Amino acid sequence: MIKVKVFLSLRKIFGQKEISSEAENIEELLRKLVKQYDGLEDALFKDSKQNELRPGIIILVNGRHIKWPPAISTPLKEGDEVAIFPYICGG
Amino acid sequence: MYGLIGKILRVNLTEGKITEEEIPEELVRKYLGGRGLASRYLFNEVKPGVDPLAPENKLIFMSGLLTGTQYPSASRYSVVAKSPLTGLWGQASSGGYWGVDLKKSGFDGIIFEGISQTPVYLVIDNGKAELRDAQELWGKNVFETTEILKEKLGKKFNIACIGQAGERLVKYASIMNDKHRAAGRCGFGAVMGSKNLKAIGVSGTEEIKIADEEGFKNLSEKLFNLLDESILRFGMGEFGTNMVLDMVNIVGGFPTRNWQTGVCPFVDEINGTALKDKLSPSPKGCFACPVKCGRMSEIRQGPYAGQKGEGPEYESVGTFGGMCYVDNLEAITYAHFLCNDYGLDTISCGSTIAFTMECFEKGILTKEDYDGFEINFGDAEKMVNLVHKIAKREGIGDLLAEGTKRMAEKLGQGSERFAMQVKGLELPAYDSRAAKITGLAFATANRGGCHIDAYVQGATFIQVPYTLIEDSQIEDVHKENPKEAKVVKDLQDVFADVDSLGICKFMCLALRAEDLSESIAQITGLQFSVEDLRKTGERIYNLERAFNIREGLTRAHDTLPKRLLEEPLPEGIAEGQVNNLKILLDPYYEFRSWDKITGKPTPEKLKELGLEDVIEQIYASE
Ligand code: SF4
């Protein structure tokens, strides 16, 4: 199982802070989630081709940032924690 | 003059004398305005060794070169003086509308010198300035002072003032404007209090002249629209600065229990989402800002219900929440409101309380020391209580009013290990062990432990690539990579420009260096390239460093608290990490052309930057 934590405005789309899923890599995970949650495709991707993330989307695996697109194929393994932020700045 | 009005006021408080001075064109070319220009005046006029609270210290307010124009976020002014907290060059910047109204009143800046015998306030009305008696205002806090003065002078006047904390010379007292906006860091409220200066009311209709009006208008509109549609606006507009909290916690760098760990278990009680749900804030922005990160909030439940104000910002939640281990957002918010009303810097205040909590935890302070007073991590009510005590210097509050560095010097017993300050300025809510070059930025910042001197957490904690500098890419935040010391240097330099222009650093996550240099060329009519921009920032940064060198600063001061250097983070993704500063400090000095032993800018570097006069000042005793 992969733990997926979502933040800020994405919580409205998911209706919760955290879900569990299964996937071999980030790309597969995102495509799976987009099918499951209404409005997520629009929130994450530039268009329905799902090739390019919207600017500002930040994804971390186990607390480390991954870079998109080079790391789209970042592999996932049992017990990993993926965090998705819609945008972040401030502080 | 283009951009600036071209005039400053000099107010001698000892003699009650006010004079006007022209700003030489040459100074604008070299220092722009705001922070840079004020720092040049400070360097020239405040001799080394002066007590920051003595008449010889000067308190300089200066609007930026772009302040008051339609350039996005061009709202800011800087306050520059020798800081009572660090004993070094200090600067604080604030937004809102006051800096704009200062410029419209007919002056870019004001230099206060001397000390008034009795409390006074300054009024500037369309080019006419006057000192007035402030005895009836003395003892009042920021909100009341602002209301009384607006009633008295008229609504069109905008007020900057101090509260009780500044009057009582709390070392981290702030200067507040527009009621809720703070020139917070470095303790300038205490400098203002030491001068018996309660407030400054400004109003006017002076116009700012722009050399290339059309070009400047087009550029400003283009950037405004870009920012209006940017992720900055959607994020900050909805959740405010506190939205960064979850991210800082996930990467294991959210200082918790006075930096004993970087992971906080109750973030969902205090993060951006909780703030939105519990306080239902409405967005509020500074002059000309498309992003509007500010929020007016109301506490709706608990003992502080009904209290209203602006904020809290991420840093207030980080210090009163994470560092003090308080999970009660209402108490955090109230502590923040109180700081604004008393005129206290929330970062230094919250951090000093967290330090005190750890002193009690370790038995360095005990119940017997201060009439039975004791405070533990997580005690929300006593934390709020302490804010009152600090501002009034009551009981133990008198000790806390001195800040963590002086407290640790007094208490000893190893407490300096966990006094979380650099050069006397308390650190902000980013644990540099979780993103290493953040530590270099803290250690070398001219004003002390500061996060927006280089605003490097954009590149480290958030990992948004800056387009303001050539390369801000960080390969691995857990590794000290000597090459990346240049990122800190480059960001420090360009943000010295940003503070001198009077725009907001948050915009800079989306702006390019060209967006700044072009605006300078358009507003002043001077040739001004990206290269000039880089050199100007570097010049300002080196001048400030030279001020500090003249005060006795050496390489030994460019360091971090022992906790960050020696105590590994105990949990989270950054578990086991400490700051190995030396790996970064040597290359940083090389990039800067600073002597690796003394920490002084080399004469060649100063010459290259057009700071020839500074050479003899910092090499005089050799
Ligand atoms: S982003 Fe926030 S602090 Fe910056 S100018 Fe806008 S409202 Fe003011």
Side-chain angles (χ1 to χ4, degrees), chain B residues 366-374 389 394-396:
Chain B
T366 65
K367 237 178 172 171
E368 286 69 47
D369 294 333
Y370 287 91
D371 304 329
F373 182 88
E374 188 181 21
K389 283 179 183 291
E394 250 174 39
I396 195 172

Side-chain angles (χ1 to χ4, degrees), chain B residues 73 75-76 95-96 181 236 284-287 289-294 504-507:
Chain B
S73 83
S75 62
R76 304 185 77 86
R181 288 272 159 184
M236 294 270 237
K284 193 176 171 213
C286 303
F287 173 83
C289 177
V291 171
K292 299 187 175 49
C293 77
C504 173
K505 289 180 179 166
F506 292 147
M507 305 298 129

Side-chain angles (χ1 to χ4, degrees), chain B residues 406-477:
Chain B
R406 286 178 179 80
M407 276 182 81
E409 280 163 6
K410 188 165 177 195
L411 297 172
Q413 301 171 70
S415 60
E416 74 286 345
R417 281 192 81 78
F418 57 87
M420 303 309 292
Q421 51 78 28
V422 171
K423 302 186 175 90
L425 189 70
E426 284 73 16
L427 287 164
Y430 292 92
D431 194 319
S432 54
R433 289 170 290 186
K436 300 305 180 62
I437 66 160
T438 319
L440 178 68
F442 289 165
T444 55
N446 279 330
R447 72 174 178 178
C450 169
H451 61 306
I452 46 174
D453 177 82
Y455 198 8
V456 75
Q457 63 274 25
T460 54
F461 281 85
I462 310 174
Q463 299 211 353
V464 185
Y466 278 105
T467 44
L468 268 189
I469 61 171
E470 274 157 359
D471 183 12
S472 67
Q473 207 66 41
I474 304 301
E475 265 171 49
D476 180 349
V477 289

Side-chain angles (χ1 to χ4, degrees), chain B residues 370-411:
Chain B
Y370 287 91
D371 304 329
F373 182 88
E374 188 181 21
I375 187 165
N376 299 313
F377 281 112
D379 191 331
E381 200 184 320
K382 283 207 183 131
M383 176 183 81
V384 167
N385 217 334
L386 259 187
V387 178
H388 291 291
K389 283 179 183 291
I390 292 167
K392 295 178 176 168
R393 283 190 177 267
E394 250 174 39
I396 195 172
D398 194 36
L399 175 70
L400 272 76
E402 294 297 301
T404 50
K405 181 167 181 269
R406 286 178 179 80
M407 276 182 81
E409 280 163 6
K410 188 165 177 195
L411 297 172

Side-chain angles (χ1 to χ4, degrees), chain B residues 215-260:
Chain B
F216 187 78
K217 183 169 170 274
N218 290 342
L219 177 70
S220 300
E221 279 172 4
K222 186 183 96 187
L223 296 176
F224 196 96
N225 292 337
L226 179 121
L227 289 158
D228 195 37
E229 286 163 17
S230 72
I231 49 158
L232 268 175
R233 183 162 102 69
F234 293 117
M236 294 270 237
E238 189 172 1
F239 292 99
T241 55
N242 198 30
M243 74 171 164
V244 80
L245 195 157
D246 288 306
M247 168 75 78
V248 182
N249 195 55
I250 279 196
V251 301
F254 184 60
T256 302
R257 294 178 72 99
N258 195 38
W259 306 63
Q260 293 185 56

Side-chain angles (χ1 to χ4, degrees), chain A residues 24-28 66-76:
Chain A
E24 299 277 309
N25 57 43
I26 287 289
E27 183 175 12
E28 189 190 330
I66 66 154
K67 293 179 181 54
W68 184 283
I72 185 169
S73 55
T74 302
L76 294 171

